[in-house]
Coordinates of all heavy atoms in Angstrom, one line a residue:
I245 N 173.4 -111.3 -17.5 CA 174.6 -110.9 -18.2 C 175.8 -111.9 -17.9 O 176.1 -112.2 -16.7 CB 175.0 -109.5 -17.7 CG1 173.9 -108.5 -17.9 CG2 176.3 -109.1 -18.4 CD1 173.6 -108.1 -19.4
W246 N 176.4 -112.3 -19.0 CA 177.7 -113.1 -18.9 C 178.7 -112.3 -19.6 O 178.4 -111.8 -20.7 CB 177.5 -114.5 -19.5 CG 176.5 -115.4 -18.8 CD1 175.2 -115.5 -19.1 CD2 176.8 -116.3 -17.8 NE1 174.6 -116.4 -18.3 CE2 175.6 -116.9 -17.4 CE3 178.0 -116.6 -17.0 CZ2 175.5 -117.9 -16.4 CZ3 177.9 -117.6 -16.0 CH2 176.6 -118.2 -15.7
R247 N 179.9 -112.1 -19.0 CA 180.9 -111.4 -19.8 C 182.3 -112.1 -19.6 O 182.6 -112.6 -18.5 CB 180.9 -109.9 -19.4 CG 181.4 -109.6 -18.0 CD 180.1 -109.5 -17.1 NE 180.5 -109.0 -15.8 CZ 180.5 -109.6 -14.6 NH1 180.1 -110.9 -14.5 NH2 180.9 -109.0 -13.5
H248 N 183.1 -112.0 -20.6 CA 184.4 -112.7 -20.6 C 185.4 -111.8 -21.3 O 185.0 -111.2 -22.4 CB 184.3 -114.0 -21.4 CG 183.2 -114.9 -20.9 ND1 183.4 -115.7 -19.8 CD2 182.0 -115.1 -21.4 CE1 182.2 -116.4 -19.6 NE2 181.4 -116.0 -20.5
P249 N 186.6 -111.7 -20.9 CA 187.6 -110.9 -21.6 C 187.8 -111.6 -23.0 O 187.7 -112.8 -23.1 CB 188.9 -111.0 -20.8 CG 188.7 -112.2 -19.9 CD 187.2 -112.3 -19.7
L250 N 188.1 -110.8 -24.0 CA 188.4 -111.4 -25.3 C 189.4 -112.5 -25.2 O 189.4 -113.5 -25.9 CB 188.9 -110.3 -26.3 CG 187.8 -109.3 -26.9 CD1 188.4 -108.6 -28.1 CD2 186.5 -110.0 -27.2
S251 N 190.4 -112.3 -24.4 CA 191.5 -113.3 -24.3 C 191.0 -114.7 -23.9 O 191.6 -115.7 -24.3 CB 192.6 -112.8 -23.2 OG 191.9 -112.6 -22.0
A252 N 189.8 -114.8 -23.3 CA 189.2 -116.1 -23.0 C 188.9 -116.9 -24.2 O 188.8 -118.1 -24.2 CB 188.0 -116.0 -22.1
L253 N 188.7 -116.2 -25.3 CA 188.3 -116.8 -26.6 C 189.5 -117.7 -27.1 O 189.3 -118.7 -27.9 CB 188.0 -115.8 -27.7 CG 186.7 -115.0 -27.5 CD1 186.7 -113.8 -28.4 CD2 185.5 -115.8 -27.7
R254 N 190.7 -117.4 -26.6 CA 191.9 -118.1 -27.1 C 191.9 -119.6 -26.6 O 192.6 -120.4 -27.2 CB 193.1 -117.4 -26.7 CG 193.4 -116.1 -27.3 CD 194.8 -115.6 -27.0 NE 195.0 -114.3 -27.7 CZ 195.4 -113.2 -27.0 NH1 195.5 -113.2 -25.7 NH2 195.6 -112.1 -27.7
D255 N 191.0 -119.9 -25.6 CA 191.0 -121.2 -25.1 C 190.5 -122.3 -26.1 O 190.7 -123.5 -25.9 CB 190.1 -121.3 -23.8 CG 190.7 -120.5 -22.7 OD1 191.9 -120.1 -22.8 OD2 189.9 -120.2 -21.7
D256 N 189.7 -121.8 -27.1 CA 189.1 -122.7 -28.0 C 189.2 -122.1 -29.4 O 188.5 -121.1 -29.8 CB 187.6 -122.9 -27.6 CG 186.9 -123.8 -28.6 OD1 187.4 -124.0 -29.7 OD2 185.7 -124.2 -28.2
P257 N 190.1 -122.7 -30.3 CA 190.3 -122.1 -31.6 C 189.0 -122.0 -32.5 O 188.9 -121.1 -33.2 CB 191.3 -123.1 -32.3 CG 191.8 -124.0 -31.2 CD 190.9 -123.9 -30.0
H258 N 188.1 -123.0 -32.3 CA 186.8 -122.9 -33.1 C 186.0 -121.7 -32.7 O 185.5 -121.0 -33.5 CB 186.0 -124.2 -32.9 CG 186.7 -125.4 -33.4 ND1 186.9 -125.6 -34.8 CD2 187.2 -126.4 -32.8 CE1 187.6 -126.7 -34.9 NE2 187.8 -127.2 -33.7
R259 N 186.0 -121.5 -31.4 CA 185.2 -120.4 -30.8 C 185.8 -119.0 -31.3 O 185.2 -118.1 -31.6 CB 185.2 -120.5 -29.3 CG 184.2 -119.6 -28.7 CD 183.8 -120.1 -27.3 NE 182.7 -120.9 -27.3 CZ 182.1 -121.5 -26.3 NH1 182.7 -121.4 -25.1 NH2 181.0 -122.2 -26.4
L260 N 187.2 -119.0 -31.2 CA 187.9 -117.8 -31.7 C 187.6 -117.5 -33.1 O 187.3 -116.4 -33.5 CB 189.4 -118.0 -31.4 CG 190.3 -116.8 -31.8 CD1 190.0 -115.6 -30.9 CD2 191.7 -117.2 -31.7
S261 N 187.7 -118.5 -34.0 CA 187.4 -118.2 -35.4 C 186.0 -117.9 -35.7 O 185.6 -117.1 -36.5 CB 188.0 -119.4 -36.3 OG 187.3 -120.5 -36.0
A262 N 185.1 -118.5 -34.9 CA 183.6 -118.1 -35.1 C 183.4 -116.7 -34.7 O 182.7 -115.9 -35.3 CB 182.8 -119.0 -34.2
F263 N 184.1 -116.3 -33.6 CA 184.0 -114.9 -33.2 C 184.5 -113.9 -34.3 O 183.9 -112.9 -34.6 CB 184.8 -114.6 -31.9 CG 184.8 -113.2 -31.5 CD1 183.7 -112.6 -30.9 CD2 185.9 -112.4 -31.8 CE1 183.6 -111.3 -30.5 CE2 185.9 -111.0 -31.4 CZ 184.8 -110.5 -30.8
A264 N 185.7 -114.3 -34.9 CA 186.3 -113.4 -35.9 C 185.3 -113.3 -37.1 O 185.1 -112.3 -37.7 CB 187.6 -114.0 -36.4
A265 N 184.7 -114.5 -37.4 CA 183.7 -114.5 -38.6 C 182.5 -113.5 -38.2 O 182.1 -112.8 -39.1 CB 183.3 -115.9 -38.9
A266 N 182.0 -113.6 -37.0 CA 180.9 -112.8 -36.6 C 181.3 -111.3 -36.6 O 180.6 -110.5 -37.1 CB 180.4 -113.3 -35.3
W267 N 182.5 -111.1 -36.0 CA 182.9 -109.7 -35.9 C 183.0 -109.0 -37.2 O 182.6 -107.9 -37.4 CB 184.3 -109.7 -35.1 CG 184.8 -108.3 -35.0 CD1 185.8 -107.7 -35.8 CD2 184.4 -107.3 -34.0 NE1 186.0 -106.4 -35.4 CE2 185.1 -106.1 -34.3 CE3 183.5 -107.3 -33.0 CZ2 185.0 -105.0 -33.6 CZ3 183.3 -106.1 -32.3 CH2 184.0 -105.0 -32.5
R268 N 183.6 -109.8 -38.2 CA 183.8 -109.2 -39.5 C 182.5 -109.3 -40.4 O 182.4 -108.6 -41.4 CB 184.9 -109.9 -40.2 CG 186.2 -109.5 -39.5 CD 187.4 -110.4 -39.9 NE 188.6 -110.1 -39.2 CZ 189.6 -111.0 -39.0 NH1 189.5 -112.2 -39.5 NH2 190.6 -110.6 -38.3
G269 N 181.5 -110.1 -39.9 CA 180.3 -110.4 -40.8 C 179.1 -109.6 -40.4 O 178.1 -109.7 -41.1

Side-chain angles (χ1 to χ4, degrees):
I245 303 290
W246 294 90
R247 66 269 192 244
H248 307 278
L250 287 192
S251 55
L253 293 165
R254 291 188 178 122
D255 296 345
D256 177 345
H258 296 294
R259 193 158 265 179
L260 181 67
S261 62
F263 174 80
W267 179 259
R268 292 168 184 154

